[in-house]
Amino acid sequence: MSRIEVSVDIGASPEVVWDFVSNLRRIPEWIEDTLKMLSVEPEPAQRGTIYRERSRIVGPLSQVTNWKISEFDPPRFQKHDGQVPLMAATSVSFALEPSAGGTKFTLVFEYTPGNPLSSLSDRLFLKKNLQSSFGRSLQRLKALVEAAPAAGPGGG
């Protein structure tokens, strides 16, 4: 299994950050390779919510991925288990903890390549590309949350 972990400090309370990342329809605004949210049932997000999105594979190539929220502990932690083409298992989790400046937000992406070709691509370039992409995504998240009204550490 491969694991990618990235963190960012966001100048907003954990409740404000939680509300933003729990609005699944906004994921394409901050997750770099998510192109479009196709469906979310039920809303608002909760344990058991299932959603479908269109995600970029490479260049103009995209795929539909299916996710289910398996853990949901406001405003601290959520985990989404995915069905991603060419992967045997995939999950993404969000952990939020108070920090001096607001919130430390950590994204963990874990995946098991589903065949020898995806294992090879993981070793050659996939993991490095995903690490960079998730790093940029967290910078987008930070900018969006901090630009929102009432985003300060006491806001919410």
Side-chain angles (χ1 to χ4, degrees):
M1 177 172 288
S2 293
R3 177 184 168 96
I4 296 166
E5 181 173 329
V6 292
S7 296
V8 67
D9 287 312
I10 300 174
S13 71
E15 293 78 11
V16 168
V17 178
W18 179 268
D19 287 347
F20 189 92
V21 300
S22 295
N23 182 347
L24 302 179
R25 296 207 179 265
R26 295 199 75 174
I27 286 177
E29 294 177 47
W30 64 277
I31 297 285
E32 183 174 88
D33 290 325
T34 300
L35 303 173
K36 182 178 183 180
M37 188 59 62
L38 302 173
S39 65
V40 178
E41 265 310 308
E43 292 183 86
Q46 57 194 279
R47 187 172 184 270
T49 292
I50 296 171
Y51 62 98
R52 295 176 65 234
E53 63 185 22
R54 178 161 297 285
S55 302
R56 179 179 301 110
I57 300 172
V58 63
L61 301 177
S62 66
Q63 65 188 4
V64 173
T65 55
N66 300 297
W67 297 91
K68 182 176 184 177
I69 299 176
S70 58
E71 297 179 47
F72 199 76
D73 181 21
R76 293 183 287 278
F77 183 80
Q78 54 184 282
K79 182 178 179 186
H80 305 206
D81 298 317
Q83 296 174 338
V84 178
L86 303 178
M87 296 293 166
T90 307
S91 71
V92 63
S93 63
F94 309 147
L96 293 77
E97 56 187 279
S99 67
T103 303
K104 178 181 179 187
F105 180 89
T106 301
L107 180 150
V108 175
F109 186 73
E110 295 179 307
Y111 59 99
T112 302
N115 61 48
L117 180 58
S118 46
S119 292
L120 177 62
S121 69
D122 185 47
R123 288 192 302 276
L124 294 177
F125 65 87
L126 181 62
K127 187 171 185 177
K128 181 180 176 185
N129 288 352
L130 287 170
Q131 181 85 34
S132 296
S133 176
F134 284 126
R136 290 188 299 270
S137 294
L138 264 54
Q139 290 304 313
R140 283 181 172 183
L141 174 64
K142 175 180 173 66
L144 287 165
V145 171
E146 290 179 352

